[in-house]
Amino acid sequence: MVSVKLLLSLGASLALASPISPPPNSLLLTRDVAQFNASHPNITIFATGGTIAGSAGSSDQTTGYQAGALGVDILIKAVPQLWNVSNPTGVQFANVGSSEITPAILLNLTRLVQQELDKPECQGVVVTHGTDTLEETAFFLDVTLRTEKPVVVVGAMRPATAISADGPINLLEAVTVAASPAARGRGVMVVLNDRIASAYYTTKTQANAPDTFKSYEQGFLGYLLNIKPIFYFSPALPVGKPYFNVTETAAELLPQVDILYGYQGLDPKLAAAAVAGGARGLVCTGMGAGSWTAPGQQALARLITEHGTAVVFSRRTMDGYVGSRQVGYGAGFLNPQKARYTLMLALSAGYGDEQMRTLFES
């Protein structure tokens, strides 16, 4: 366990030298050339903040802490075992709670991660992230990166200053997975609590407990035993997973897509208000397998006809499939937050009706 005193004292600058070329000047870089081992894979850690970098006033405080308080240099220095499995390079991309992550930030992160993965000297990438929206970032990266190299998104449910903080071991496991040749060709992965999961399907299922990131229907890709990854299956990708090339996409070209929540007696005017506020697309968090009230569907049909609004129906249940619809598109197995990014990317790419239907419902 890493003590509060140690974590708060590890902010000293580290040597900035390594075989990996530096990122743009706006980013802070952490390397330790003295510990470089030519036989170890080079793993780049993009830090964005979150609970894994959180700090609280006492070691028994696990709520009400400050997210994104510690830098990536502190996180790396607190886990010296990282150098047993890799040559880690830390890039301080951001340091915020994950609720502050925006589509524009994700576009920039995707480009930087892709640039790093394209370097022959980089064997894998880890992204540290707050857990509140970790699944959204992981999903976005999964459908916008093109690589066989491992990409792992990791976070923590307890701040770094807490008793039994899960961040250090999660980070070590994430880097170990990213450094493993067996992790290649599996798309973006999420690693927390000894589990390895597909970013495409994984979601946060519990607001507080460490054992929270799961994909109930699709299951886990693997497990970590003594910090050694054990994969259950040969490398494979989710069936029908799309790819969107965003290397030339400007932030303003990602259209606004809002999410509406379904409930008894829902207000149909909320859909029109969202479109009036600039939404080009709507994701409806439907009841059951995506059901919506009759007045609500009539309002959505008018928006589709009069404004060309793209409408996707997902579900408010933990899991399940939403199939084809008479009004709009069914989201398939995608939950609302993942359907939202899929719709944003599809609208940005100029998808027409048939492409949308194939994308969501095939």
Side-chain angles (χ1 to χ4, degrees):
M1 184 180 69
V2 179
S3 69
V4 176
K5 182 178 180 181
L6 174 61
L7 282 166
L8 297 180
S9 66
L10 289 177
S13 299
L14 302 180
L16 301 185
S18 168
I20 301 178
S21 57
N25 293 331
S26 60
L27 302 177
L28 298 177
L29 186 69
T30 295
R31 294 176 179 143
D32 192 342
V33 70
Q35 300 198 60
F36 177 79
N37 186 326
S39 65
H40 287 165
N42 300 318
I43 304 298
T44 305
I45 303 169
F46 286 86
T48 69
T51 298
I52 194 170
S55 178
S58 65
S59 61
D60 60 356
Q61 183 179 349
T62 58
T63 62
Y65 50 83
Q66 180 184 350
L70 307 176
V72 67
D73 54 341
I74 298 177
L75 301 185
I76 293 175
K77 192 72 172 179
V79 190
Q81 295 90 338
L82 292 174
W83 280 276
N84 295 336
V85 296
S86 69
N87 297 310
T89 296
V91 179
Q92 192 70 59
F93 173 81
N95 211 357
V96 296
S98 65
S99 59
E100 302 305 315
I101 300 293
T102 66
I105 290 174
L106 285 190
L107 276 177
N108 192 27
L109 178 63
T110 298
R111 293 191 190 104
L112 291 174
V113 170
Q114 186 69 67
Q115 290 171 15
E116 195 68 19
L117 292 166
D118 289 342
K119 299 174 184 176
E121 63 268 26
C122 175
Q123 277 75 54
V125 162
V126 169
V127 178
T128 68
H129 201 283
T131 59
D132 284 355
T133 66
L134 183 149
E135 66 187 270
E136 294 173 61
T137 292
F139 178 85
F140 189 92
L141 292 173
D142 199 26
V143 297
T144 57
L145 292 175
R146 176 155 284 182
T147 184
E148 288 289 302
K149 297 177 182 179
V151 178
V152 179
V153 184
V154 64
M157 291 299 291
R158 297 168 180 155
T161 50
I163 296 173
S164 298
D166 53 331
I169 192 169
N170 286 349
L171 179 60
L172 177 58
E173 291 186 339
V175 170
T176 303
V177 170
S180 171
R184 292 178 60 90
R186 298 179 185 272
V188 177
M189 291 164 283
V190 174
V191 171
L192 283 94
N193 201 52
D194 299 332
R195 267 77 174 198
I196 309 168
S198 166
Y200 196 77
Y201 290 119
T202 300
T203 188
K204 188 175 183 178
T205 65
Q206 219 278 0
N208 313 106
D211 190 16
T212 177
F213 281 91
K214 301 175 183 177
S215 49
Y216 284 112
E217 293 295 327
Q218 296 79 16
F220 292 107
L221 300 180
Y223 184 77
L224 286 118
L225 185 64
N226 289 331
I227 321 295
K228 300 280 192 300
I230 301 169
F231 287 99
Y232 303 138
F233 315 104
S234 300
L237 298 175
V239 174
K241 189 183 84 169
Y243 167 71
F244 297 95
N245 187 343
V246 295
T247 53
E248 303 297 328
T249 302
E252 58 270 16
L253 294 180
L254 276 182
Q256 177 182 332
V257 173
D258 291 334
I259 298 177
L260 302 177
Y261 198 83
Y263 52 90
Q264 294 178 346
L266 65 86
D267 186 350
K269 296 189 294 295
L270 293 178
V275 172
R280 285 184 54 199
L282 298 172
V283 174
C284 298
T285 305
M287 299 160 278
S291 67
W292 210 248
T293 65
Q297 290 192 77
Q298 292 168 7
L300 291 170
R302 285 194 297 272
L303 292 173
I304 293 171
T305 301
E306 298 173 7
H307 299 275
T309 307
V311 178
V312 174
F313 286 87
S314 184
R315 31 67 184 179
R316 70 182 196 186
T317 53
M318 178 60 69
D319 238 316
Y321 181 85
V322 179
S324 60
R325 313 276 307 186
Q326 289 186 331
V327 175
Y329 313 101
F333 287 108
L334 297 179
N335 66 20
Q337 50 270 38
K338 295 184 180 186
R340 172 178 174 262
Y341 267 127
T342 303
L343 183 55
M344 290 173 69
L345 290 163
L347 287 171
S348 177
Y351 277 29
D353 177 68
E354 286 306 312
Q355 289 173 298
M356 287 286 194
R357 202 163 296 283
T358 299
L359 173 66
F360 285 103
E361 297 178 355
S362 293

